[in-house]
Amino acid sequence: DIIPLKHLTATHPTPTPDTQNATNASACPIGRPNQGDKAGTDSHRDREWAPLSTLESHLIMPTTITGVLPIIHTPFTADDQLDVDSLHRELEWALTRNINGYCTGMVSELLRLSQEERNQLHREIGSVDRGDKVFIAGVGAESTSQATAYAERATEYGCDALMVIPPVTAKTSLPDLRDYFTSVANSVDVPVIIQDASSYVGQEIPMQLNVELLDTFGPEKIMFKPEAAPLGPKLSELRDATNGRARAFEGSGGISI
């Protein structure tokens, strides 16, 4: 089955005055601000991070990864710092919607974040009591060591699964791609979603490798977000190549379902 990863149509409920105020309360819009924007709040600098044992104590481990999983937008203050207060309001609002969890990914501006910023983003998201909702952390990077470091840190912060794109700045050989994804999968105990975002960034992941990873780790460990072009035929190719065993999550490819 193909499971939608993001809302693809305008099916969100009309915001109430309370939720509208919550989403508009940020000192600046979501996304990197222009240099001319006014200075935003920076109250998160004094925030104390809860140790993992504390975070785990109030999180209910979800039983499965499925359903509607929107991508988190990363808010910034006008002085280009992560706007933690707005992020928490965004997550708290999202948890009132009919979703099954949320993810960080390309739309979260992960490629524009420093290592410290990405880890801070995942630490903040992991600190929110999400009940039985899942948190999937995007950990793709330009090297195997960096991707595994992101993966290990995100799981320390309580994510339920990882989403991994290949390196995007240079074409990677099949053996290196195999080592990249295998190393990430071996570094953590949570499921790994292999994201092929080649329809808009990076290189296509060979179908042979998708099958190898699924055969090696199994469908409970390895899942897929196939977004190679053409989307519809590629979805069918993944289904057929894996004899229907591949669990696929979709974003832009949802229009082909």
Side-chain angles (χ1 to χ4, degrees):
D1 292 337
I2 303 300
I3 307 169
L5 182 63
K6 293 186 288 187
H7 284 297
L8 299 172
T9 58
T11 58
H12 298 283
T14 302
T16 64
D18 288 341
T19 57
Q20 188 66 54
N21 289 339
T23 55
N24 290 339
S26 172
C28 64
I30 290 175
R32 294 283 190 182
N34 296 323
Q35 292 182 351
D37 290 344
K38 295 180 180 179
T41 59
D42 201 19
S43 60
H44 63 283
R45 287 186 179 277
D46 298 325
R47 185 181 299 272
E48 294 184 358
W49 305 112
L52 182 60
S53 57
T54 302
L55 300 180
E56 289 178 327
S57 68
H58 71 267
L59 296 178
I60 303 172
M61 180 60 68
T63 57
T64 188
I65 300 171
T66 187
V68 178
L69 304 163
I71 302 296
I72 295 167
H73 286 229
T74 305
F76 299 90
T77 63
D79 58 352
D80 211 27
Q81 302 298 309
L82 180 64
D83 188 339
V84 172
D85 294 333
S86 293
L87 174 64
H88 278 256
R89 285 194 294 270
E90 176 188 350
L91 298 176
E92 289 163 3
W93 179 85
L95 290 171
T96 68
R97 306 295 90 190
N98 188 23
I99 64 173
N100 299 86
Y102 36 56
C103 321
T104 58
M106 306 294 288
V107 178
S108 307
E109 303 196 63
L110 293 184
L111 296 182
R112 296 183 175 90
L113 299 181
S114 67
Q115 176 179 336
E116 180 182 356
E117 286 175 323
R118 193 189 303 202
N119 286 334
Q120 181 188 8
L121 175 66
H122 289 158
R123 182 168 54 188
E124 287 291 349
I125 297 170
S127 73
V128 172
D129 186 349
R130 58 187 180 274
D132 62 352
K133 312 297 185 186
V134 300
F135 162 36
I136 302 170
V139 299
E142 291 307 295
S143 70
T144 300
S145 61
Q146 185 62 74
T148 55
Y150 281 138
E152 291 168 357
R153 189 60 61 87
T155 55
E156 289 175 8
Y157 298 148
C159 75
D160 303 293
L162 305 173
M163 186 157 61
V164 192
I165 62 170
V168 299
T169 57
K171 186 173 178 60
T172 308
S173 69
L174 176 58
D176 286 342
L177 273 180
R178 182 185 294 111
D179 178 69
Y180 174 84
F181 286 115
T182 299
S183 295
V184 172
N186 280 328
S187 70
V188 296
D189 294 327
V190 300
V192 174
I193 299 173
I194 307 297
Q195 181 182 10
D196 185 335
S198 59
S199 62
Y200 50 92
V201 67
Q203 70 182 90
E204 183 174 352
I205 300 172
M207 190 59 62
Q208 170 191 347
L209 180 55
N210 289 331
V211 175
E212 286 182 19
L213 292 169
L214 186 61
D215 288 343
T216 300
F217 293 97
E220 296 304 314
K221 176 72 173 187
I222 297 294
M223 306 173 192
F224 301 91
K225 186 179 181 226
E227 295 180 291
L231 295 170
K234 289 297 182 181
L235 286 168
S236 297
E237 184 181 354
L238 176 65
R239 177 200 61 201
D240 296 342
T242 62
N243 295 316
R245 293 181 301 134
R247 296 183 60 193
F249 296 79
E250 265 308 327
S252 53
I255 61 177
S256 300
I257 298 175

